[in-house]
Amino acid sequence: MKKQILFLMIVGILFSCNKNNNGDNLETQVVGNWKLIQMTGSIPNSETTGTEMEWQETYQLNPNGTFLKSRNRDEVITKASGTYKIVDSSDGKFLEFNFNDESEIIGSCYSNLKEEMFFRSKNTFSSIWNACDGPGLKYKKED
């Protein structure tokens, strides 16, 4: 009888513990540096990568929900910051960046200090700016 009670207690403990899947948690996976790796235009076959792109750009996503965006264009570095969150939609999950102030580096179809990026995979996301004649921008998480 004691063995059965001990067995039931062990099974109960095992099933009541929360499993920590930080590797599978999207909120923790997005934290880090994301680099612009590809630009596309509205003209077919207008893809550019690396130093051929018009500018270099990164997002630094912090664990507290803040971000810093940096753009290097012709050796001029412009920075903008704000907060981000992960949003679920019927089309999938996307990142919503809300900027603190107006900036020329906000790539958006709206004039409301907001950018949206859809996840292409767990290590890449893309801008929706190309939906309104902006460039298509693809970012990859740096290791």
Side-chain angles (χ1 to χ4, degrees):
M1 181 72 167
K2 287 182 183 180
K3 288 182 181 179
Q4 290 174 340
I5 292 173
L6 181 61
F7 175 75
L8 289 174
M9 287 176 55
I10 291 172
V11 170
I13 290 170
L14 289 175
F15 284 105
S16 67
C17 293
N18 286 335
K19 192 173 181 182
N20 187 355
N21 285 331
N22 283 341
D24 296 333
N25 184 343
L26 187 57
E27 284 77 16
T28 57
Q29 285 180 0
V30 299
V31 171
N33 293 317
W34 295 77
K35 182 177 182 178
L36 179 63
I37 59 167
Q38 179 183 31
M39 296 177 89
T40 55
S42 57
I43 301 170
N45 300 319
S46 63
E47 176 183 307
T48 56
T49 59
T51 58
E52 299 298 316
M53 296 184 295
E54 281 185 55
W55 63 78
Q56 303 299 308
E57 192 166 82
T58 60
Y59 285 87
Q60 178 185 335
L61 277 60
N62 302 309
N64 65 356
T66 63
F67 73 90
L68 175 65
K69 180 178 182 178
S70 298
R71 180 181 290 174
N72 182 341
R73 185 176 196 161
D74 300 324
E75 302 303 318
V76 175
I77 297 175
T78 307
K79 296 182 179 188
S81 62
T83 59
Y84 72 90
K85 64 182 177 180
I86 298 169
V87 178
D88 284 312
S89 76
S90 59
D91 295 326
K93 294 183 185 265
F94 66 92
L95 279 168
E96 180 182 285
F97 294 97
N98 292 290
F99 290 80
N100 293 331
D101 300 301
E102 281 289 339
S103 175
E104 65 186 30
I105 67 172
I106 299 174
S108 178
C109 296
Y110 318 105
S111 59
N112 59 357
L113 303 177
K114 184 180 358 180
E115 287 182 341
E116 294 174 339
M117 306 282 183
F118 277 91
F119 287 99
R120 298 174 68 109
S121 71
K122 69 178 186 175
N123 294 324
T124 59
F125 60 70
S126 293
S127 166
I128 64 165
W129 193 14
N130 60 334
C132 57
D133 295 330
L137 305 173
K138 182 178 178 183
Y139 300 83
K140 183 176 182 184
K141 186 169 186 189
E142 296 182 310
D143 295 324

PDB file of all heavy atoms in Angstrom, residues 7-19:
ATOM      1  N   PHE A   7       4.060   5.846  -5.316  1.00  0.00           N
ATOM      2  CA  PHE A   7       4.012   5.908  -6.783  1.00  0.00           C
ATOM      3  C   PHE A   7       3.039   6.995  -7.249  1.00  0.00           C
ATOM      4  O   PHE A   7       3.353   7.791  -8.136  1.00  0.00           O
ATOM      5  CB  PHE A   7       3.607   4.544  -7.353  1.00  0.00           C
ATOM      6  CG  PHE A   7       3.416   4.545  -8.833  1.00  0.00           C
ATOM      7  CD1 PHE A   7       4.511   4.574  -9.690  1.00  0.00           C
ATOM      8  CD2 PHE A   7       2.141   4.536  -9.391  1.00  0.00           C
ATOM      9  CE1 PHE A   7       4.338   4.589 -11.061  1.00  0.00           C
ATOM     10  CE2 PHE A   7       1.961   4.557 -10.758  1.00  0.00           C
ATOM     11  CZ  PHE A   7       3.065   4.577 -11.603  1.00  0.00           C
ATOM     12  N   LEU A   8       1.861   7.054  -6.650  1.00  0.00           N
ATOM     13  CA  LEU A   8       0.874   8.066  -7.017  1.00  0.00           C
ATOM     14  C   LEU A   8       1.374   9.478  -6.710  1.00  0.00           C
ATOM     15  O   LEU A   8       1.124  10.411  -7.481  1.00  0.00           O
ATOM     16  CB  LEU A   8      -0.455   7.806  -6.304  1.00  0.00           C
ATOM     17  CG  LEU A   8      -1.245   6.582  -6.799  1.00  0.00           C
ATOM     18  CD1 LEU A   8      -2.459   6.343  -5.914  1.00  0.00           C
ATOM     19  CD2 LEU A   8      -1.657   6.754  -8.232  1.00  0.00           C
ATOM     20  N   MET A   9       2.090   9.645  -5.625  1.00  0.00           N
ATOM     21  CA  MET A   9       2.635  10.964  -5.289  1.00  0.00           C
ATOM     22  C   MET A   9       3.679  11.392  -6.315  1.00  0.00           C
ATOM     23  O   MET A   9       3.687  12.541  -6.756  1.00  0.00           O
ATOM     24  CB  MET A   9       3.251  10.945  -3.887  1.00  0.00           C
ATOM     25  CG  MET A   9       2.210  10.901  -2.773  1.00  0.00           C
ATOM     26  SD  MET A   9       2.916  10.749  -1.123  1.00  0.00           S
ATOM     27  CE  MET A   9       4.017  12.124  -1.053  1.00  0.00           C
ATOM     28  N   ILE A  10       4.536  10.471  -6.724  1.00  0.00           N
ATOM     29  CA  ILE A  10       5.575  10.789  -7.710  1.00  0.00           C
ATOM     30  C   ILE A  10       4.940  11.145  -9.047  1.00  0.00           C
ATOM     31  O   ILE A  10       5.310  12.135  -9.679  1.00  0.00           O
ATOM     32  CB  ILE A  10       6.576   9.621  -7.852  1.00  0.00           C
ATOM     33  CG1 ILE A  10       7.400   9.490  -6.569  1.00  0.00           C
ATOM     34  CG2 ILE A  10       7.491   9.822  -9.059  1.00  0.00           C
ATOM     35  CD1 ILE A  10       8.277   8.258  -6.512  1.00  0.00           C
ATOM     36  N   VAL A  11       3.953  10.359  -9.468  1.00  0.00           N
ATOM     37  CA  VAL A  11       3.262  10.639 -10.730  1.00  0.00           C
ATOM     38  C   VAL A  11       2.565  11.997 -10.650  1.00  0.00           C
ATOM     39  O   VAL A  11       2.624  12.798 -11.591  1.00  0.00           O
ATOM     40  CB  VAL A  11       2.262   9.506 -11.081  1.00  0.00           C
ATOM     41  CG1 VAL A  11       1.362   9.901 -12.240  1.00  0.00           C
ATOM     42  CG2 VAL A  11       3.008   8.224 -11.393  1.00  0.00           C
ATOM     43  N   GLY A  12       1.929  12.279  -9.533  1.00  0.00           N
ATOM     44  CA  GLY A  12       1.246  13.570  -9.360  1.00  0.00           C
ATOM     45  C   GLY A  12       2.209  14.736  -9.428  1.00  0.00           C
ATOM     46  O   GLY A  12       1.927  15.762 -10.053  1.00  0.00           O
ATOM     47  N   ILE A  13       3.370  14.576  -8.808  1.00  0.00           N
ATOM     48  CA  ILE A  13       4.371  15.638  -8.839  1.00  0.00           C
ATOM     49  C   ILE A  13       4.874  15.855 -10.258  1.00  0.00           C
ATOM     50  O   ILE A  13       5.017  16.989 -10.725  1.00  0.00           O
ATOM     51  CB  ILE A  13       5.538  15.325  -7.873  1.00  0.00           C
ATOM     52  CG1 ILE A  13       5.052  15.433  -6.423  1.00  0.00           C
ATOM     53  CG2 ILE A  13       6.734  16.246  -8.118  1.00  0.00           C
ATOM     54  CD1 ILE A  13       6.033  14.915  -5.386  1.00  0.00           C
ATOM     55  N   LEU A  14       5.152  14.777 -10.973  1.00  0.00           N
ATOM     56  CA  LEU A  14       5.659  14.892 -12.341  1.00  0.00           C
ATOM     57  C   LEU A  14       4.673  15.612 -13.253  1.00  0.00           C
ATOM     58  O   LEU A  14       5.063  16.432 -14.082  1.00  0.00           O
ATOM     59  CB  LEU A  14       5.996  13.514 -12.914  1.00  0.00           C
ATOM     60  CG  LEU A  14       7.222  12.820 -12.314  1.00  0.00           C
ATOM     61  CD1 LEU A  14       7.357  11.416 -12.877  1.00  0.00           C
ATOM     62  CD2 LEU A  14       8.479  13.623 -12.584  1.00  0.00           C
ATOM     63  N   PHE A  15       3.397  15.306 -13.125  1.00  0.00           N
ATOM     64  CA  PHE A  15       2.399  15.918 -13.995  1.00  0.00           C
ATOM     65  C   PHE A  15       1.997  17.317 -13.555  1.00  0.00           C
ATOM     66  O   PHE A  15       1.459  18.084 -14.342  1.00  0.00           O
ATOM     67  CB  PHE A  15       1.168  15.028 -14.128  1.00  0.00           C
ATOM     68  CG  PHE A  15       1.383  13.853 -15.039  1.00  0.00           C
ATOM     69  CD1 PHE A  15       1.543  12.583 -14.529  1.00  0.00           C
ATOM     70  CD2 PHE A  15       1.449  14.035 -16.413  1.00  0.00           C
ATOM     71  CE1 PHE A  15       1.762  11.515 -15.365  1.00  0.00           C
ATOM     72  CE2 PHE A  15       1.672  12.968 -17.256  1.00  0.00           C
ATOM     73  CZ  PHE A  15       1.828  11.696 -16.737  1.00  0.00           C
ATOM     74  N   SER A  16       2.261  17.678 -12.316  1.00  0.00           N
ATOM     75  CA  SER A  16       1.869  19.012 -11.859  1.00  0.00           C
ATOM     76  C   SER A  16       2.953  20.055 -12.123  1.00  0.00           C
ATOM     77  O   SER A  16       2.680  21.238 -12.094  1.00  0.00           O
ATOM     78  CB  SER A  16       1.546  18.987 -10.371  1.00  0.00           C
ATOM     79  OG  SER A  16       2.719  18.719  -9.620  1.00  0.00           O
ATOM     80  N   CYS A  17       4.158  19.641 -12.390  1.00  0.00           N
ATOM     81  CA  CYS A  17       5.244  20.599 -12.649  1.00  0.00           C
ATOM     82  C   CYS A  17       5.109  21.174 -14.042  1.00  0.00           C
ATOM     83  O   CYS A  17       4.803  20.461 -14.990  1.00  0.00           O
ATOM     84  CB  CYS A  17       6.607  19.916 -12.519  1.00  0.00           C
ATOM     85  SG  CYS A  17       6.978  19.399 -10.843  1.00  0.00           S
ATOM     86  N   ASN A  18       5.322  22.473 -14.146  1.00  0.00           N
ATOM     87  CA  ASN A  18       5.333  23.122 -15.453  1.00  0.00           C
ATOM     88  C   ASN A  18       6.646  22.837 -16.137  1.00  0.00           C
ATOM     89  O   ASN A  18       7.694  22.948 -15.536  1.00  0.00           O
ATOM     90  CB  ASN A  18       5.155  24.636 -15.316  1.00  0.00           C
ATOM     91  CG  ASN A  18       3.753  25.002 -14.979  1.00  0.00           C
ATOM     92  OD1 ASN A  18       2.828  24.261 -15.276  1.00  0.00           O
ATOM     93  ND2 ASN A  18       3.583  26.152 -14.352  1.00  0.00           N
ATOM     94  N   LYS A  19       6.553  22.509 -17.381  1.00  0.00           N
ATOM     95  CA  LYS A  19       7.750  22.276 -18.167  1.00  0.00           C
ATOM     96  C   LYS A  19       8.213  23.606 -18.733  1.00  0.00           C
ATOM     97  O   LYS A  19       7.438  24.333 -19.336  1.00  0.00           O
ATOM     98  CB  LYS A  19       7.433  21.298 -19.306  1.00  0.00           C
ATOM     99  CG  LYS A  19       8.639  20.765 -19.999  1.00  0.00           C
ATOM    100  CD  LYS A  19       8.225  19.679 -20.973  1.00  0.00           C
ATOM    101  CE  LYS A  19       9.427  19.102 -21.665  1.00  0.00           C
ATOM    102  NZ  LYS A  19       9.053  18.101 -22.645  1.00  0.00           N
TER     103      LYS A  19
END
